[in-house]
Amino acid sequence: MQRREQRVDPLVTSESYKSEKVQQWLAALTTSEVLWNAITRVVAPDLFQAGNSAFSQAIKEVRHGSKKNPKNPAPVDSWPSIFSGLEIIANRVTFSHRDAGGSPSLFDLLVSLGRNHHATLALADLHAQLDYSPGAMVYIAGQVLKHSVGPWLNGERVVIAHFMKDAVHDRVGVPRPSFPMQSFFLELVGGKSRKRIRSRR
């Protein structure tokens, strides 16, 4: 029988996270993750704040738990992302699906890497095909929108999928973020939102 975590259960890192190879990989990825964190702060500030707050609270709890097991402490300081989970997808077709474990406003960040490929990201609910070539970054409401990646021609395809677990945010008492709004971006570039324009009529 599979055990289901409860809100009262302590937060712990995965066993693989402690391995030397994973720590080396995270160290190599840190500079890129700092950039992706900064981009998230600009395009989805509430998402960034929620992830950053949840991460800070989670670190405190994991450190507290590590004091009970000082012989094998979790190296939580080496985690470079405001997202609570990372997944590597390499040279794999991804069937149409919605993500489990998040919430509608906890956007996933998909970073397309690799070389010499011209893959596309399909959003079935929107009847849309997005360019998914190396260097593309996509923020997606993965729990809401079905998404998939079909076969592609040539090249090597690698994706680093970033996601946040709603259960983790709930566990540390961080509320779900609001959705990014068009008015925020208009104000960011010095424009006027529709709401402000209408208020002057």
Side-chain angles (χ1 to χ4, degrees), residues 103-124:
S103 76
S105 61
L106 288 177
F107 284 19
D108 302 329
L109 167 59
L110 308 177
V111 181
S112 180
L113 303 171
R115 59 182 181 180
N116 302 324
H117 71 77
H118 299 284
T120 57
L121 176 68
L123 304 178

Side-chain angles (χ1 to χ4, degrees), residues 38-60:
I39 293 173
T40 302
R41 186 174 186 177
V42 173
V43 303
D46 289 344
L47 179 69
F48 173 87
Q49 185 60 47
N52 195 46
S53 297
F55 178 63
S56 297
Q57 292 297 323
I59 280 184
K60 292 179 182 178

Side-chain angles (χ1 to χ4, degrees), residues 24-175:
Q24 290 174 349
W25 179 76
L26 288 174
L29 191 64
T30 294
T31 300
S32 297
E33 288 293 342
V34 169
L35 171 63
W36 298 332
N37 288 343
I39 293 173
T40 302
R41 186 174 186 177
V42 173
V43 303
D46 289 344
L47 179 69
F48 173 87
Q49 185 60 47
N52 195 46
S53 297
F55 178 63
S56 297
Q57 292 297 323
I59 280 184
K60 292 179 182 178
E61 185 161 329
V62 172
R63 281 177 178 166
H64 180 73
S66 295
K67 292 180 180 178
K68 299 178 181 179
N69 185 21
K71 294 183 179 180
N72 190 23
V76 290
D77 291 328
S78 63
W79 186 256
S81 178
I82 54 119
F83 291 85
S84 56
L86 301 176
E87 182 179 5
I88 307 301
I89 303 171
N91 291 328
R92 193 182 75 187
V93 169
T94 305
F95 296 106
S96 185
H97 69 286
R98 293 187 177 93
D99 297 333
S103 76
S105 61
L106 288 177
F107 284 19
D108 302 329
L109 167 59
L110 308 177
V111 181
S112 180
L113 303 171
R115 59 182 181 180
N116 302 324
H117 71 77
H118 299 284
T120 57
L121 176 68
L123 304 178
D125 301 301
L126 302 179
H127 304 287
Q129 299 275 342
L130 305 182
D131 181 16
Y132 214 33
S133 299
M137 294 178 60
V138 181
Y139 290 87
I140 178 176
Q143 193 186 50
V144 178
L145 298 175
K146 282 188 175 181
H147 49 287
S148 62
V149 178
W152 64 93
L153 297 176
N154 304 321
E156 300 286 330
R157 189 178 82 86
V158 178
V159 170
I160 303 180
H162 302 67
F163 54 89
M164 297 182 185
K165 288 293 186 180
D166 193 42
V168 174
H169 286 225
D170 189 42
R171 176 66 176 77
V172 297
V174 174

